Amino acid sequence: AQSVTQLGSHVSVSEGALVLLRCNYSSSVPPYLFWYVQYPNQGLQLLLKYTSAATLVKGINGFEAEFKKSETSFHLTKPSAHMSDAAEYFCAVRGDDKIIFGKGTRLHILP
Amino acid sequence: GAGVSQSPRYKVAKRGQDVALRCDPISGHVSLFWYQQALGQGPEFLTYFQNEAQLDKSGLPSDRFFAERPEGSVSTLKIQRTQQEDSAVYLCASSLAQGAYYYGYTFGSGTRLTVV
């Protein structure tokens, strides 16, 4: 069975600082991995996805993630946080016929 | 339409009441998914349609939950005899392709159900 574990339910960073949100996955098949963002009272928006091409994946809003098979990780980073990045972030992995989500990490941006 | 539309946006139901939640996917999208998101949690899979066929309903928590997509476009999630633990945001997502996980989904804004 496939699953993801997000480390840290809340992460706080200062505006302009590096953002690092951690995700580890478990998959019995070659994984397809995703990061989604959810703003308050909205649905989920796809930030980026890994589908077995390049291991460094660039997404929208300056985010990127690196697939590391040896560490079973797919951490999300952004070099410089902006106030508008405050939201809930979900790591996800493909299941048999659906996407399986982690529990989420709420990102707080400190002025 | 331009995006996935869900209605109503908010629903308050008395315990024991039946509710129906509607999802209007992006035109032409083959795959449609329902997820349940409890407060402070990630979305949990409920059910999946490919056109009008319900291919996976393994996530429906009980036989009080029922979903349909009779013409392969609009879908309705029905919850009978609602209970307090049904309170959550119900998210609908659609995807153009059959291999939906490859492309990711387009999500609606959800219906927030509160059972009192």
Side-chain angles (χ1 to χ4, degrees), chain A residues 34 36 38 41 43 97 99, chain B residues 9 35 37 45 56 101 105 108:
Chain A
F34 308 84
Y36 281 83
Q38 186 176 37
N41 297 316
D97 56 4
I99 293 177
Chain B
R9 286 284 281 122
Y35 283 80
Q37 186 177 19
F45 171 80
D56 187 345
Y101 49 75
Y105 305 157

Side-chain angles (χ1 to χ4, degrees), chain B residues 61-99:
Chain B
S62 77
D63 58 8
R64 295 186 297 104
F65 287 70
F66 173 76
E68 60 184 4
R69 194 186 185 199
E71 298 179 357
S73 57
V74 171
S75 178
T76 303
L77 176 66
K78 297 179 180 178
I79 309 174
Q80 297 177 324
R81 305 181 303 281
T82 53
Q83 301 177 6
Q84 282 193 316
E85 60 262 32
D86 300 335
S87 295
V89 175
Y90 290 85
L91 295 167
C92 176
S94 71
S95 179
L96 179 62
Q98 293 181 10

Side-chain angles (χ1 to χ4, degrees), chain A residues 9-49:
Chain A
S9 57
H10 292 265
V11 169
S12 295
V13 301
S14 297
E15 190 175 18
L18 172 72
V19 175
L20 172 61
L21 304 182
R22 300 176 187 273
C23 174
N24 288 92
Y25 70 89
S26 173
S27 180
S28 56
V29 297
Y32 289 172
L33 296 159
F34 308 84
W35 276 99
Y36 281 83
V37 61
Q38 186 176 37
Y39 297 100
N41 297 316
Q42 294 187 26
L44 283 76
Q45 180 182 7
L46 181 65
L47 275 178
L48 49 81
K49 63 180 187 281

Side-chain angles (χ1 to χ4, degrees), chain A residues 98-99 101, chain B residues 4-8 20-25 31-37 43-49 54 56 59-60 65-69 73-79 89-94 105 107 110-111:
Chain A
K98 53 189 169 287
I99 293 177
F101 290 86
Chain B
V4 178
S5 178
Q6 292 188 246
S7 61
L21 312 180
R22 176 187 169 102
C23 173
D24 201 339
S31 299
L32 186 145
F33 302 79
W34 284 98
Y35 283 80
Q36 180 191 59
Q37 186 177 19
E44 296 279 349
F45 171 80
L46 292 177
T47 187
Y48 159 52
F49 291 85
Q54 189 175 19
D56 187 345
L60 295 176
F65 287 70
F66 173 76
E68 60 184 4
R69 194 186 185 199
S73 57
V74 171
S75 178
T76 303
L77 176 66
K78 297 179 180 178
I79 309 174
V89 175
Y90 290 85
L91 295 167
C92 176
S94 71
Y105 305 157
F107 278 88
T111 294

